[in-house]
Amino acid sequence: GMNPDLASERQTASFSVEKLTAWLDGGAEHTRIRRAVVEAIECDPVFSRENQYFQSQNERYEAAVRKAVHLQKKMHEMGWTEDGPEFKYIYRALSGDIAFLLHRIFMRSISVLGSKQQTAKWIPLATQYQLIGSYAQTELGHGTYLQGLETTAVFDITTQEFILNTPKISAMKWWPGDMGRSATHTVVFAQLYVHGKCYGVHPFIVQIRSLQDHSLCPGITAGDIGPKMNFEHVDNGYLMLQNVRVPRENMLNKFCEVQPDGTYARWGSQKINYFTMTTVRISLISDEAVIPLMKACTIAIRYSVVRRQSKLKPGEQEAKILDYQTQQEKLLPQLAAAYAFHFISNYLQELFDKVYREIQRKMFDTLPELHAFSSGFKAMVTQYCTSAVAICLQACGGHGYSLLSGLPSLYTKIVASCIYEGENTILLLQTARFLIKCFMAASTGQPVPPSVTYLAAVKPGKCPAKNKLDFLSPDVYTEAYQHMAARLISSTAAKLQDLIQSGVKKTDAWNQCTVQLVQAAKAHCHYITVKNFAETVEKLETKAGIQKIMKHLCDLFALHGIFSNGGVFLHDGYVSGAQMDMVTASYLDLLAVIRKDAVPLVDAFDFTDKSLNSALGSYDGQVYQRLYEWAQKSPTNKQMSPAYERYLKPLLHNTLSKL
Amino acid sequence: EALVINDPDFQHEDLNFLSRSQRYEQAIRKSALMVMKLREYGIADPEEIYWFKSFVHRGRPEPLDLHLGMFLPTLLTQATPEQQDRFFMPAWNLEIIGTYAQTEMGHGTHLRGLETTATYDPATQEFILNSPTVTSIKWWPGGLGKTSNHAIVLAQLYTQGQCKGLHAFIVPIRQLGTHEPLPGITVGDIGPKFGYDEMDNGYLKMDNFRIPRENMLMKYAQVEPDGTYVKPLSDKLTYGTMVFIRSLIVGDSARSLSRACTIAIRYSAVRHQSELKPGEPEPQILDYQTQQYKLFPLLATAYAFHFVGAYIKDTYRRISGDINEGDLSELPELHALTAGLKAFTSWTANAGIEECRMACGGHGYSRCSGIPDIYVTFTPSCTYEGENTVMMLQTARFLVKSYTQVSSGQRVTGMVSYLNDLSRQRIQPQHVAARTVTVRINDPVSLVEAYKARAARLVEAAAKNLQAELNHRKSKEDAWNRTSVDLVRASEAHCHYVIVKLFTAKLSEISNAAVRAVMTELSLLYALYGISKNTGDFLQAGILTDAQITQVNQRVKELLAIIRPNAVALVDSFDFHDVHLGSVLGRYDGNVYENMFEWAKKSPLNKTEVHESFHKHLKLMQAKL
């Protein structure tokens, strides 16, 4: 049966949950397809995640491989293809709990970086799983800083081969997924040497395991890097290369080539090397940050209306914990953020599609903007969502710490996204570099991309709000964010200039400003997120009920940001102390308003119970019953612990004589 | 320390490679050994036991924690002499292993809501214990799942048809000898958690389970054979234990953060990355301003919390002396202060440990860094022994009460005495915010004043908002709820002030000039960083100007560069042994990369060169496609 405390929440929704879901999916047809995919995956026992929380690393890995293999069969059965509309929902339906994700990166990097001949040779083999690929970039000693990679590939003109080596321990490839146990091939990034000259980092296809018996190829040392905070199902691996030879044709050569005589030729933009990373960064925002946050919000908010604790009014029943202002203040801003970032992810996807079309036509002008945006938003969104999931976890009291709540594994997984595909601080500094450049250009009247034209018009001013209701105007708060971002960027640029003019070397000046630069880049991304949210809501005008609640969420997201970063808005007097009190008042009022729709707003994310895999967050709200039932399944309850016979019993009975 | 580390009996495989059952088993094995060795060596001093224990278990929880930390002490403080005779020696000798079963599935911090019942039956002179609902099942107590054969159970006492509130009962749960659950008892492990693998946190359900009348802990409250209830003298006494445990958490915040800082700072000195200047070798990542900005404020925080922990412990000792002489006057403030400080320090340390881990890049995410383990072990302290938000609100209640006292003309003492200044302010028509404090940003004492002004302003604002809500609404509880976000902010500001004050006060006690100099830098960094993270409060209250905030931000960056040369020495001073630190990245000798490789080779996935799933799945797929 349905827990009445949860049922009552659904009766008072101010909008149609089904309509909101369809809008989030981009249309009812998409919702239908998504549900069909989820249904097909979840009714198949091979894909079950039921015992996941009780499994060891070895069991998790094996299950992930089994699922990956079974998925091929399933796709065939269902008639799903990689280009079909179903494909993007499969990963969501599996909650990412599957092997061979790097296999896809392997294929993508060959498609993007490989010549026509290379694509023709390798892609069919990979598609047929005649080989399993990985992507070996990161080393023990180097991650985001690619130029520092130490693996070498020396061209041997006599045999027309590259000789790959791991010259020292810090050069060992470390972390690539699927590489520890599964992969037969990998794309190795190595410093290319021809005739003793280094040409920088290039990608090479290298076979690492036998296609017959899976044993390691000569010259290869590879294995699993050991347990991590999460990703037990992935065999992140290490790889050491000793004089491993690959033919000249194994260097991916769409954009550059070593010719038989050793001549190095390059065409097209070098920036294209970054394109794979950009692709991955944009897709991970939704898959690895926003969706997990939506799940965490669903679990925490549903649980918060089931859990009753203490009394708000004497003589009444204990109150739902979501009725406490402090609980609302923890959870509702995270819910608003989940929506805000869902929209930013759509925005980036559109930008990406546009740039991609241009690249196909060999136009690279918009690539820097896309690169800067994908870096900045990857960093900002993953960091924000990670903190948000942690808040959801802690908002569930003790039960949040049980793995059965689903929240610890959401947290330990999302937290990795702050590091992989570019460490966040470094990425924000890349965005900052772009912003400073644009600011300089804008201030000398040169053209800049449309998203940063606001930098041209930095001027002092005051926020026009006169009462707390004025802060519910998107123009008022968007303007405040814009002012704040422009101020932080311009003051950092000025600081940089000052340092350089006073004789400090450019590179030193940059390092001395990095804390400010990071802050400026975040401010820019925050501003764009608010602006994009407001514009998205505005475009929604026809769907009255949904627009109203989305407007509230947008207001909440914006005001929460001002409330919790008061200093940067107060700093130059743009927002006055009295106005800050209005912001706080409006913000706290909004909490109570959104509270009423909190459960419908998470219901609209439309996660099945199986995909949440949480004893606290199920649709029916039977929290305690489920916790109790699931706990019984724990292996620790299935057998008598050997610890009793071995240690407890002697302790209980025999130790006395020894003491 | 050496006693444990050099003892072959305490050695075992790296815990990261063991399953939960294996980790529990190792912990039990070591606990059993530990008890024997403690007695063999004749170690009985609580402080020494604590150190011995923390080295044996390397700072991790263990299944006997609740027996040693709660069951035995509760017997000592709440059992009658007769009960002590019956239970204490068997428990001391571990014939009885006990736990403390308070939290239920449906209720945690809000104790009055607990649902377990103990109904007195005068006919048989027994209590009948029941778990009437699913939510009333005892849930979470450590050592309950598999280890204990007794539990002190907290239940609502019913006698002569009336509920007399929560009382403690000694309940046998497993058969001595076979260790099987007794009839009427359902007991087990609550399943895997975020960390705490060594601990068998358990559940307990009781169905008409009868215990003799003499099993109620009756040093204070009593039920007589005919069912007559005799009230305890004072209920304030139970605060003492809570204060004590919360003070331990403050110390634990300092220690856990210190460990994470040690690992991250040492590793940042070993790791080289990218270039600061073209053509030069890659610098240590600790030379990057952003890295220093992540780590050094946390280092300063670890030191600050260390001093706060010591202060609470001393104050508690002093006050406990007074309590034993019947003087309870200082207890409310200490209780309020430790609640807030427990929340403040555990929140900060919790976030700080994660920042340290993230500062280690990808390798921080590997369990070999040791930080994931520190984090999962520490993070529940934000919830247990009082959920942090609830703790902050308890402190707020005390602050508002003090504010009200001042408003009505009384004076308050102790850490809240700054509120007395507010009444003087009221003579002038201006808002307290407009009060000018001339802050000198290089003077720690002046910074304490700035924090004091901020706390005063936020306490006043919260109290006024509360009053405004009360004027609008009928219910006190409603008004309190609608002000609770402000109230938490006020508590945080108060705690922050207390910490800056205690850190600054400590400086004058340091006799060695060089140590004092570096501690002064750290205390300045702590205070200024706190301002730069909360500029809104200081600007809005007019405590600091825009120009001063810019100076503060600049000064923070200068301090980072000043502390940089001492950073490794400052973490070495924490003096964690490598074994205790449990981190490949944080090794004292800095040989990180080669040892990561050695560590990884031991991973369970590497036991065979070709993993069995190749034969089971991969080969099959390749053959079919």
Side-chain angles (χ1 to χ4, degrees), chain B residues 61 66 318 376 410 466 512 559 567:
Chain B
L66 276 278
R318 185 172 56 76
V376 297
Q410 298 173 47
L466 181 63
N512 181 302
L559 283 166

Side-chain angles (χ1 to χ4, degrees), chain A residues 181 312 411-412 571 646, chain B residues 25 354 365 389 477 546 609:
Chain A
R181 309 303 317 182
L312 265 177
Y411 176 73
T412 51
H571 190 92
R646 269 187 225 160
Chain B
E25 198 182 322
E354 276 296 79
Y365 193 75
T389 304
E477 289 77 7
D546 289 357
E609 201 196 311

Side-chain angles (χ1 to χ4, degrees), chain A residues 532-541 547 550-551 554:
Chain A
N532 180 62
F533 201 158
E535 287 169 0
T536 308
V537 172
E538 205 174 325
K539 282 184 228 150
L540 246 173
E541 51 197 59
Q547 201 216 19
M550 285 300 118
K551 165 76 169 56
C554 179

